Amino acid sequence: MNPLIDRLRAYDPGGIRVRLAAQVVVTMTAAMAAEWLLVQARHDPVPVVALMLGAVVALCGVFAAPMFDTPRQQALNLALIPIPALGGIALGLALAPHQFWGFGAVIVVLTAGAYLRRFGPRGFFGGVFAFNGTFFGLFLYGVITLGSLGWVTVEVVLAVAVTVALQLTAFRIRNDRTLARLRRSFGARSRAVAAVALALTEAPAPRRRARLVRLLRRRTLAFNEAALMADAYLERPGALPAGASPGIVHQRLFDLELAVTNLARFAVTLADADLPPKLRELVREGLAAVGELDADRADAAGRLVLQELPDGPARIVAHRFGGCLRAVAEALYGLRGGLGRDEPEVEFVAAAELAGGFLPGSAGVSQTASEEPQIARRIGRSGLPPNVRIAGQMAVAATAALVLGYTVDHRRWYWAVVAAFVTFMGAHNAGEQLRKGSLRVIGTVAGVLIGALLAHAIGPHVYAALAVILAALFLGLYLMRSSYAWFVIAITIAVSQLYVELGEYSEDLLLLRLGETALGAAVALLTVLVVMPLRTGRVVRVATREYLTTLDGVVAATQQQLLGTGSDLRAAVRRLDAAYQALMATLSVLGVPLLPAPSARILFSNSLSASRNYARNLLTDAAGSVTLDAAQAEALGLAAGTLRASIEELITRLRGQEPGPYVRSASRFATLGAGLHLPETAPPVLALRDLQLIDGSLAVIAEQLGLTVAALDQAHT
């Protein structure tokens, strides 16, 4: 495997980023070429209008397409683009002579577009095209008139036709190909996890070890992301060959992801343990085999590890490590087999839905946080649907940005409005909006510098400028999910080249763009903090609460599994993964706003991560058969009931209500485990140990949230 290709696959799950970037560049180029042929045929004295319309329609159309699942839905919805776009252009042209009303139209269209988000992707992009159309009408007044709206309609329809044609041909949705690419990315990310774990076994220096541990955490989270994305595609028509079972493929992908992730965690512990040289070499051999996805070597190493178990504290971890190596081999054998064609069908429902091909991040928990009533200064305050909240914020921000931007410069005021507008695009709460606004300013600064250098280097050479614009857009879109600043840099470079070709370029103009952008972003950031704010701390509370609710479901399913009454523990754990991804997406914005001290934030995040790891262990550890007598079943019920009641107290605290104490349940699980009289490495004993560890990690979270943590005797139970 070529290391560079493997890294690119790991960076871009399913090739979705590179495909989007390529589609934008190809579609924009094709649309502008079609518009150029049109203006040449009609001898248009101002061809730049058609070229700009074609480029903008193509760009927005490509972004809109992934929001719809099937080619038919994409074609139908993209075909509707001319309605809001031309309506906006007509409105802008009609009101342009009356500046006050023209400005008012911009604000009304922006506000209405934000409100239309309640109708899903169609409403969202309808609002975007209506704003773009209104802006074009105002911006191009004098160059075009209402009388030339017929040709403008032809130009918009032509750009839409090119966009739809390419979407249905060269970039047609092929769920089977996307899933195949996702599986290759899944493999690349598994190898990336194994590589870091292997590096940790080399006894690195303390500072390097700390960096590797942080890197391992990021890579295992990314590995889980790829698994959830693959799960979502398994349900789509045509993703798997005829006769293949989505449920079986899901099980094997999940088993492989779980085993590799656990191997990496256990390797961190074993790296610090006092192991015999032979066992330490077997650990390294096993990780190397997993890094190459070599099932035979992994299985052989796992068997040997289980034969060489040490005495002492490392015995259980070494036993788990060997079992995980064999689980990796079993999952790989299964994935290379018949994909469940000759096996009984397994019910399967994906735990996460995708948005534009990716996990939705904090969108769901932000919506819940926005809609729920809040308690502010002991006065009840009703929640607001996200579209209503954003519409109100947009109205305030757009008005202030327009007024201030116009005060700075009568011609380029729109840069401030656009900066305010995009702050609300794809950002779901105040923290994300703050980050996006800040990155827009940072990206503009870098883009101004790079754009100025390229403008002087290239000069008025049309084809070279066009190549720079397309290359910048490709790289900006490809890197955008890593940081929005990359896309802003690309757009600023493109604007610089455009103004060179129009004969309007100057460093002062780029600095004006920077100033207007900073002004618009600052207005938007102030607005989201003051006007109907959805603060990140509140979203974190909701995300943590939903995570704990799914964790409670895992505990309940584990109890049923140990009692032999049947449960869908696998589905419960996968729902926990999806909730954890949403929680991490929220925490990634500004750390943990619940807790002011950095050390407390780290402890909070680590405890959440630990509770999830122990819960995922249950999927394997609770699978062993055990028969509990009536007294043991009652003891399990009491222990699980205590843990679940304590989880409920945490949830109560996160709802803003007064909780009772967090009562520890670990001693009950420990007593029950000792009474089973089974080896310490027997699956049921390990499952009870996992539940003890979950209780321990949640007790730390309870302390961080200000709950009283009480032992059983202190709670009088």
Side-chain angles (χ1 to χ4, degrees), residues 8-9 11-22 177-178 181-182 185 229 358 478:
L8 291 174
R9 285 176 175 170
Y11 173 75
D12 182 13
I16 295 173
R17 301 180 190 183
V18 70
R19 189 177 186 276
L20 175 64
R177 293 182 181 178
T178 304
R181 291 193 298 268
L182 274 170
S185 296
M229 290 171 66
F358 295 93
Y478 180 65

Side-chain angles (χ1 to χ4, degrees), residues 20-149:
L20 175 64
Q23 185 174 356
V24 166
V25 170
V26 171
T27 305
M28 287 181 65
T29 303
M32 288 190 291
E35 300 288 1
W36 177 255
L37 293 175
L38 176 65
V39 298
Q40 291 297 307
R42 58 184 286 256
H43 305 291
D44 190 337
V46 192
V48 69
V49 173
L51 296 179
M52 289 174 61
L53 279 173
V56 171
V57 168
L59 175 65
C60 295
V62 171
F63 274 113
M67 304 303 292
F68 306 98
D69 292 334
T70 66
R72 182 175 182 274
Q73 290 175 351
Q74 290 179 341
L76 290 175
N77 285 284
L78 290 178
L80 296 174
I81 287 175
I83 298 174
L86 292 169
I89 291 173
L91 179 64
L93 290 173
L95 296 179
H98 314 285
Q99 193 173 67
F100 175 81
W101 295 109
F103 288 169
V106 170
I107 296 167
V108 170
V109 170
L110 277 175
T111 304
Y115 181 80
L116 288 174
R117 296 183 185 197
R118 74 185 297 265
F119 299 106
R122 185 178 296 177
F124 176 80
F125 283 104
V128 170
F129 279 107
F131 166 68
N132 285 334
T134 305
F135 169 73
F136 264 104
L138 292 171
F139 181 66
L140 297 175
Y141 177 73
V143 179
I144 59 174
T145 64
L146 280 172
S148 57
L149 197 59

Side-chain angles (χ1 to χ4, degrees), residues 336-347:
R336 294 165 185 170
L339 299 181
R341 286 187 176 88
D342 301 322
E343 301 178 52
E345 184 57 65
V346 176
E347 184 179 353

Side-chain angles (χ1 to χ4, degrees), residues 131-176:
F131 166 68
N132 285 334
T134 305
F135 169 73
F136 264 104
L138 292 171
F139 181 66
L140 297 175
Y141 177 73
V143 179
I144 59 174
T145 64
L146 280 172
S148 57
L149 197 59
W151 276 113
V152 172
T153 300
V154 173
E155 291 162 357
V156 171
V157 171
L158 177 61
V160 170
V162 170
T163 303
V164 172
L166 286 172
Q167 181 65 43
L168 296 181
T169 55
F171 298 101
R172 181 182 177 86
I173 292 176
R174 288 288 304 270
N175 290 327
D176 56 340

Side-chain angles (χ1 to χ4, degrees), residues 186-222:
F186 179 85
R189 289 190 172 185
S190 72
R191 287 187 286 272
V193 169
V196 178
L198 185 59
L200 278 163
T201 64
E202 297 172 353
R207 292 182 64 180
R208 173 170 166 73
R209 184 186 186 282
R211 288 196 299 270
L212 287 172
V213 169
R214 290 193 297 270
L215 178 61
L216 183 63
R217 187 170 297 170
R218 292 196 299 271
R219 287 192 174 178
T220 52
L221 188 65

Side-chain angles (χ1 to χ4, degrees), residues 28 52 56 59 135 139 412 414-415 418 440 444 447-448 450-452 454-455 465-466 468-470 472-473 487-506 509-514 517:
M28 287 181 65
M52 289 174 61
V56 171
L59 175 65
F135 169 73
F139 181 66
R412 313 292 182 183
Y414 50 84
W415 281 332
V418 169
R440 184 166 186 84
T444 303
V448 164
I450 299 172
L454 290 173
L466 185 60
V468 167
I469 290 172
L470 293 176
L473 286 175
F487 181 64
V488 180
I489 292 171
I491 291 294
T492 307
I493 292 173
V495 168
S496 303
Q497 294 298 319
L498 179 62
Y499 279 120
V500 170
E501 299 308 317
L502 294 174
E504 296 186 24
Y505 173 81
S506 70
L509 184 63
L510 290 185
L511 291 175
L512 177 62
R513 174 178 170 80
L514 174 59
T517 297

